[in-house]
Amino acid sequence: MRILIVEDEPTLGQQLKSTLEQNGYAVDLSTDGEDGHFLGATEDYDAVILDLGLPEIDGLTVLGMWRREGRGFPVLVLTARDSWSDKVAGLDAGADDYLAKPFQTEELIARLRALIRRASGNTSSELTAGDVRLDTRSGRVTLKGEPVKLTAQEYKLLSYLMHHKGKVVSRTELIEHIYDQDFDRDSNTIEVFVTRIRKKLGAEVITTIRGLGYSLDDPADAPRA
């Protein structure tokens, strides 16, 4: 999952970026409203963490611009303001959740996971597809109850497909959502990761849709003859 952080406090921004990366997210960091708006308007993100007190363009204005431009990713507003009027203004501008500083990092990550789940139509923190289970809280993947060890990139790819179970996902979409902006993106590596996942979880877990991309389906949802 790819996250954008727009936060002008350098120390906090870097701490959040590092923590989210350690939790398996691809993260881009912006330190002002103008650059943050540009990234949100031109790149695809699964969620955004947005500070309100930004230089250049304030966070509420940035959020309003994104929504008018049709950008529908979930936004977690992060701010030092703690009055009810500021919360209402943020939510009315299109925010999906609100967290006041100071905060516990664990709470922020939990709220972020919940926003991403809801945006993809999932209500549980545990995603399933047949015998495969992925716990978004712990990052644990199991096959028939047995733990399966995945690399960071394999986990990101599997997680994205499981969040979008039943949908065809193109290579381009996968690249945009599992790598951050500065990563050297190579579409050929996607096929390598898919092959590795199939070896660990079974050849049938991910289906290649020729010319379109990949699909992860639950066997229980397959049509019966």
Side-chain angles (χ1 to χ4, degrees):
M1 295 294 170
R2 189 176 175 199
I3 308 298
L4 172 63
I5 300 172
V6 190
E7 169 59 64
D8 66 321
E9 295 182 30
T11 301
L12 177 58
Q14 287 296 335
Q15 287 175 344
L16 289 176
K17 184 175 188 296
S18 177
T19 299
L20 290 175
E21 287 174 342
Q22 290 170 13
N23 279 268
Y25 295 96
V27 184
D28 294 332
L29 174 62
S30 175
T31 57
D32 67 72
E34 185 174 359
D35 180 63
H37 167 256
F38 175 78
L39 288 175
T42 58
E43 300 283 341
D44 287 323
Y45 293 100
D46 296 289
V48 175
I49 299 171
L50 176 68
D51 182 36
L52 291 188
L54 296 170
E56 306 298 336
I57 308 175
D58 70 87
L60 281 178
T61 300
V62 170
L63 180 55
M65 293 167 68
W66 283 336
R67 295 313 193 214
R68 287 192 297 273
E69 292 161 352
R71 306 302 280 173
F73 40 62
V75 175
L76 172 62
V77 166
L78 192 65
T79 179
R81 307 171 188 175
D82 196 24
S83 71
W84 68 267
S85 59
D86 288 325
K87 293 180 181 180
V88 169
L91 294 171
D92 282 347
D96 298 273
D97 201 356
Y98 194 107
L99 193 59
K101 302 174 184 176
F103 55 86
Q104 294 295 322
T105 305
E106 291 81 1
E107 181 182 1
L108 180 142
I109 294 174
R111 287 175 179 267
L112 195 62
R113 285 197 303 261
L115 288 178
I116 293 171
R117 286 200 311 269
R118 289 199 295 268
S120 59
N122 296 288
T123 56
S124 173
S125 60
E126 187 174 73
L127 309 179
T128 63
D131 295 323
V132 179
R133 294 180 179 273
L134 185 151
D135 191 326
T136 60
R137 295 167 300 182
S138 64
R140 188 170 183 261
V141 176
T142 61
L143 176 65
K144 296 181 178 179
E146 295 297 320
V148 177
K149 187 175 182 180
L150 300 179
T151 67
Q153 296 298 344
E154 291 166 2
Y155 176 85
K156 290 178 183 178
L157 191 150
L158 179 66
S159 176
Y160 190 81
L161 289 177
M162 291 192 74
H163 273 89
H164 298 83
K165 185 172 65 174
K167 301 177 182 178
V168 178
V169 180
S170 68
R171 285 192 184 190
T172 299
E173 184 176 343
L174 284 170
I175 290 169
E176 290 175 344
H177 287 268
I178 70 173
Y179 296 131
D180 61 42
Q181 186 184 32
D182 297 326
F183 198 91
D184 183 14
R185 304 174 181 183
D186 182 355
S187 64
N188 293 324
T189 61
I190 298 297
E191 182 61 37
V192 173
F193 294 145
V194 169
T195 299
R196 291 178 182 173
I197 292 171
R198 285 172 172 158
K199 287 181 178 179
K200 295 177 180 181
L201 299 177
E204 72 288 346
V205 69
I206 299 175
T207 302
T208 299
I209 311 298
R210 191 174 297 277
L212 296 176
Y214 303 96
S215 176
L216 187 149
D217 299 289
D218 194 326
D221 297 331
R224 298 179 179 179

